[in-house]
Amino acid sequence: LPIAAFDNEFTLNVSLTCPISYFVGDFSNTATWWNAGPGGAYEIVENPAVANQLLVKDFWDFGIDLVLNYNPTTYVVSVPDQNTGAFVAQYNGYIYAKPSTDATQVSTFNPCTRQMTLYINYYIQGVGSYGNQTEKFSGL
C-alpha cells in the first residue's frame, strides 16, 4: 500500500482515580495546629446521613467530629463553619473552624495515596482569628 497514510499521532491522558472506599480508614495526623503535636491517630469515615461528607472522628474532642464536605470528582474539600467545642474562658467564647481565608490554600485529598491536607481558619466569634492553619492526614 504505497499511498496509505498510517502516520497518525494520538495523545492519551490518563488519570488514576480510586473510590472513596479506598480512602476512608485509619490515619495519622502528620501536621497539626489544633492538637498538641503530630502523631495522633484518627478514623476518617463517610457520613452515612450526608452524601459527599467525611467525618474525622473525635478530632475536636471525644464525641466531637471534624466535618468535611468534598467534591467527588475533584476531591476538593470544604470545611463547613463548625464549633470545635473548645471554650476559651478569657474571651467567653468557643473556638470555631471554617475554610482558610486565603484563596490559594485549597483543601484536598487523594483517595489513592490516602493523603489529605486541610487549611482551616480558627476563630472566636466577635473576638478574632487564630489565622489559617494546616492539618495533614496520612493513611495508615
Side-chain angles (χ1 to χ4, degrees), residues 98-121:
K98 64 181 180 180
S100 170
T101 56
D102 181 342
T104 66
Q105 294 181 326
V106 178
S107 298
T108 60
F109 71 94
N110 183 320
C112 299
T113 63
R114 300 188 71 226
Q115 304 291 315
M116 179 166 58
T117 301
L118 304 175
Y119 300 103
I120 300 176
N121 182 274

Side-chain angles (χ1 to χ4, degrees), residues 44-94:
I44 298 178
V45 300
E46 288 184 86
N47 185 345
V50 180
N52 303 326
Q53 189 173 81
L54 298 171
L55 303 173
V56 182
K57 301 301 288 178
D58 302 324
F59 184 74
W60 302 128
D61 202 349
F62 293 109
I64 307 175
D65 304 332
L66 167 57
V67 178
L68 305 168
N69 297 319
Y70 70 93
N71 180 311
T73 304
T74 63
Y75 304 111
V76 170
V77 176
S78 64
V79 181
D81 203 335
Q82 58 195 282
N83 187 336
T84 66
F87 185 78
V88 181
Q90 174 185 359
Y91 298 115
N92 195 30
Y94 287 93

Side-chain angles (χ1 to χ4, degrees), residues 28-35 37-39 59 118 134-138:
S28 175
N29 192 204
T30 58
T32 184
W33 180 84
W34 180 256
N35 295 296
F59 184 74
L118 304 175
T134 304
E135 304 287 345
K136 290 186 179 186
F137 296 88
S138 180

